[in-house]
PDB file of all heavy atoms in Angstrom:
ATOM      1  N   ILE A 224     -15.427 -20.118  -4.067  1.00 95.00           N
ATOM      2  CA  ILE A 224     -14.929 -20.675  -5.325  1.00 95.00           C
ATOM      3  C   ILE A 224     -14.936 -19.608  -6.412  1.00 95.00           C
ATOM      4  O   ILE A 224     -13.974 -19.459  -7.176  1.00 95.00           O
ATOM      5  CB  ILE A 224     -15.760 -21.901  -5.748  1.00 95.00           C
ATOM      6  CG1 ILE A 224     -15.583 -23.036  -4.726  1.00 95.00           C
ATOM      7  CG2 ILE A 224     -15.355 -22.361  -7.143  1.00 95.00           C
ATOM      8  CD1 ILE A 224     -16.388 -24.269  -5.045  1.00 95.00           C
ATOM      9  N   VAL A 225     -16.018 -18.844  -6.477  1.00 96.00           N
ATOM     10  CA  VAL A 225     -16.115 -17.778  -7.475  1.00 96.00           C
ATOM     11  C   VAL A 225     -15.019 -16.741  -7.234  1.00 96.00           C
ATOM     12  O   VAL A 225     -14.335 -16.317  -8.172  1.00 96.00           O
ATOM     13  CB  VAL A 225     -17.500 -17.112  -7.419  1.00 96.00           C
ATOM     14  CG1 VAL A 225     -17.552 -15.916  -8.376  1.00 96.00           C
ATOM     15  CG2 VAL A 225     -18.590 -18.114  -7.765  1.00 96.00           C
ATOM     16  N   ALA A 226     -14.849 -16.336  -5.969  1.00 95.00           N
ATOM     17  CA  ALA A 226     -13.811 -15.357  -5.646  1.00 95.00           C
ATOM     18  C   ALA A 226     -12.426 -15.899  -5.981  1.00 95.00           C
ATOM     19  O   ALA A 226     -11.560 -15.165  -6.468  1.00 95.00           O
ATOM     20  CB  ALA A 226     -13.890 -14.974  -4.171  1.00 95.00           C
ATOM     21  N   GLY A 227     -12.227 -17.199  -5.749  1.00 95.00           N
ATOM     22  CA  GLY A 227     -10.943 -17.818  -6.072  1.00 95.00           C
ATOM     23  C   GLY A 227     -10.687 -17.872  -7.565  1.00 95.00           C
ATOM     24  O   GLY A 227      -9.562 -17.649  -8.025  1.00 95.00           O
ATOM     25  N   VAL A 228     -11.732 -18.166  -8.334  1.00 96.00           N
ATOM     26  CA  VAL A 228     -11.606 -18.212  -9.791  1.00 96.00           C
ATOM     27  C   VAL A 228     -11.278 -16.824 -10.340  1.00 96.00           C
ATOM     28  O   VAL A 228     -10.438 -16.671 -11.244  1.00 96.00           O
ATOM     29  CB  VAL A 228     -12.892 -18.771 -10.429  1.00 96.00           C
ATOM     30  CG1 VAL A 228     -12.865 -18.575 -11.945  1.00 96.00           C
ATOM     31  CG2 VAL A 228     -13.065 -20.244 -10.090  1.00 96.00           C
ATOM     32  N   VAL A 229     -11.945 -15.797  -9.800  1.00 97.00           N
ATOM     33  CA  VAL A 229     -11.660 -14.421 -10.235  1.00 97.00           C
ATOM     34  C   VAL A 229     -10.206 -14.062  -9.942  1.00 97.00           C
ATOM     35  O   VAL A 229      -9.522 -13.457 -10.775  1.00 97.00           O
ATOM     36  CB  VAL A 229     -12.611 -13.426  -9.543  1.00 97.00           C
ATOM     37  CG1 VAL A 229     -12.186 -11.987  -9.841  1.00 97.00           C
ATOM     38  CG2 VAL A 229     -14.046 -13.656  -9.991  1.00 97.00           C
ATOM     39  N   LEU A 230      -9.708 -14.461  -8.767  1.00 95.00           N
ATOM     40  CA  LEU A 230      -8.307 -14.205  -8.421  1.00 95.00           C
ATOM     41  C   LEU A 230      -7.362 -14.939  -9.378  1.00 95.00           C
ATOM     42  O   LEU A 230      -6.340 -14.388  -9.806  1.00 95.00           O
ATOM     43  CB  LEU A 230      -8.035 -14.635  -6.979  1.00 95.00           C
ATOM     44  CG  LEU A 230      -6.585 -14.497  -6.485  1.00 95.00           C
ATOM     45  CD1 LEU A 230      -6.080 -13.068  -6.650  1.00 95.00           C
ATOM     46  CD2 LEU A 230      -6.492 -14.933  -5.021  1.00 95.00           C
ATOM     47  N   LEU A 231      -7.712 -16.179  -9.736  1.00 96.00           N
ATOM     48  CA  LEU A 231      -6.896 -16.936 -10.691  1.00 96.00           C
ATOM     49  C   LEU A 231      -6.882 -16.257 -12.051  1.00 96.00           C
ATOM     50  O   LEU A 231      -5.830 -16.144 -12.695  1.00 96.00           O
ATOM     51  CB  LEU A 231      -7.437 -18.361 -10.807  1.00 96.00           C
ATOM     52  CG  LEU A 231      -6.708 -19.277 -11.792  1.00 96.00           C
ATOM     53  CD1 LEU A 231      -5.244 -19.456 -11.386  1.00 96.00           C
ATOM     54  CD2 LEU A 231      -7.403 -20.641 -11.873  1.00 96.00           C
ATOM     55  N   ILE A 232      -8.047 -15.798 -12.505  1.00 97.00           N
ATOM     56  CA  ILE A 232      -8.130 -15.094 -13.791  1.00 97.00           C
ATOM     57  C   ILE A 232      -7.284 -13.826 -13.759  1.00 97.00           C
ATOM     58  O   ILE A 232      -6.586 -13.508 -14.725  1.00 97.00           O
ATOM     59  CB  ILE A 232      -9.602 -14.763 -14.122  1.00 97.00           C
ATOM     60  CG1 ILE A 232     -10.390 -16.052 -14.385  1.00 97.00           C
ATOM     61  CG2 ILE A 232      -9.686 -13.822 -15.323  1.00 97.00           C
ATOM     62  CD1 ILE A 232     -11.879 -15.827 -14.557  1.00 97.00           C
ATOM     63  N   ALA A 233      -7.348 -13.107 -12.636  1.00 96.00           N
ATOM     64  CA  ALA A 233      -6.562 -11.877 -12.503  1.00 96.00           C
ATOM     65  C   ALA A 233      -5.069 -12.168 -12.559  1.00 96.00           C
ATOM     66  O   ALA A 233      -4.296 -11.416 -13.161  1.00 96.00           O
ATOM     67  CB  ALA A 233      -6.913 -11.176 -11.186  1.00 96.00           C
ATOM     68  N   THR A 234      -4.658 -13.279 -11.951  1.00 94.00           N
ATOM     69  CA  THR A 234      -3.244 -13.665 -11.961  1.00 94.00           C
ATOM     70  C   THR A 234      -2.796 -14.019 -13.373  1.00 94.00           C
ATOM     71  O   THR A 234      -1.725 -13.585 -13.834  1.00 94.00           O
ATOM     72  CB  THR A 234      -3.011 -14.855 -11.025  1.00 94.00           C
ATOM     73  OG1 THR A 234      -3.469 -14.531  -9.707  1.00 94.00           O
ATOM     74  CG2 THR A 234      -1.539 -15.217 -10.958  1.00 94.00           C
ATOM     75  N   VAL A 235      -3.613 -14.800 -14.065  1.00 95.00           N
ATOM     76  CA  VAL A 235      -3.285 -15.177 -15.445  1.00 95.00           C
ATOM     77  C   VAL A 235      -3.248 -13.945 -16.341  1.00 95.00           C
ATOM     78  O   VAL A 235      -2.355 -13.795 -17.193  1.00 95.00           O
ATOM     79  CB  VAL A 235      -4.300 -16.208 -15.972  1.00 95.00           C
ATOM     80  CG1 VAL A 235      -4.064 -16.474 -17.461  1.00 95.00           C
ATOM     81  CG2 VAL A 235      -4.202 -17.508 -15.183  1.00 95.00           C
ATOM     82  N   ALA A 236      -4.211 -13.044 -16.158  1.00 95.00           N
ATOM     83  CA  ALA A 236      -4.256 -11.831 -16.973  1.00 95.00           C
ATOM     84  C   ALA A 236      -3.012 -10.978 -16.765  1.00 95.00           C
ATOM     85  O   ALA A 236      -2.491 -10.377 -17.711  1.00 95.00           O
ATOM     86  CB  ALA A 236      -5.506 -11.021 -16.632  1.00 95.00           C
ATOM     87  N   TYR A 237      -2.510 -10.949 -15.542  1.00 94.00           N
ATOM     88  CA  TYR A 237      -1.307 -10.164 -15.249  1.00 94.00           C
ATOM     89  C   TYR A 237      -0.113 -10.663 -16.060  1.00 94.00           C
ATOM     90  O   TYR A 237       0.625  -9.872 -16.647  1.00 94.00           O
ATOM     91  CB  TYR A 237      -0.997 -10.233 -13.755  1.00 94.00           C
ATOM     92  CG  TYR A 237       0.315  -9.595 -13.374  1.00 94.00           C
ATOM     93  CD1 TYR A 237       0.398  -8.225 -13.179  1.00 94.00           C
ATOM     94  CD2 TYR A 237       1.466 -10.360 -13.218  1.00 94.00           C
ATOM     95  CE1 TYR A 237       1.604  -7.628 -12.848  1.00 94.00           C
ATOM     96  CE2 TYR A 237       2.672  -9.770 -12.883  1.00 94.00           C
ATOM     97  CZ  TYR A 237       2.742  -8.406 -12.695  1.00 94.00           C
ATOM     98  OH  TYR A 237       3.941  -7.829 -12.370  1.00 94.00           O
ATOM     99  N   PHE A 238       0.069 -11.977 -16.112  1.00 91.00           N
ATOM    100  CA  PHE A 238       1.210 -12.527 -16.845  1.00 91.00           C
ATOM    101  C   PHE A 238       0.964 -12.563 -18.352  1.00 91.00           C
ATOM    102  O   PHE A 238       1.895 -12.407 -19.148  1.00 91.00           O
ATOM    103  CB  PHE A 238       1.538 -13.927 -16.335  1.00 91.00           C
ATOM    104  CG  PHE A 238       2.171 -13.937 -14.973  1.00 91.00           C
ATOM    105  CD1 PHE A 238       1.447 -14.319 -13.862  1.00 91.00           C
ATOM    106  CD2 PHE A 238       3.490 -13.545 -14.809  1.00 91.00           C
ATOM    107  CE1 PHE A 238       2.024 -14.320 -12.600  1.00 91.00           C
ATOM    108  CE2 PHE A 238       4.083 -13.539 -13.562  1.00 91.00           C
ATOM    109  CZ  PHE A 238       3.350 -13.928 -12.446  1.00 91.00           C
TER     110      PHE A 238
END
Side-chain angles (χ1 to χ4, degrees):
I224 295 179
V225 175
V228 169
V229 172
L230 177 56
L231 179 61
I232 293 173
T234 304
V235 173
Y237 173 83
F238 288 105

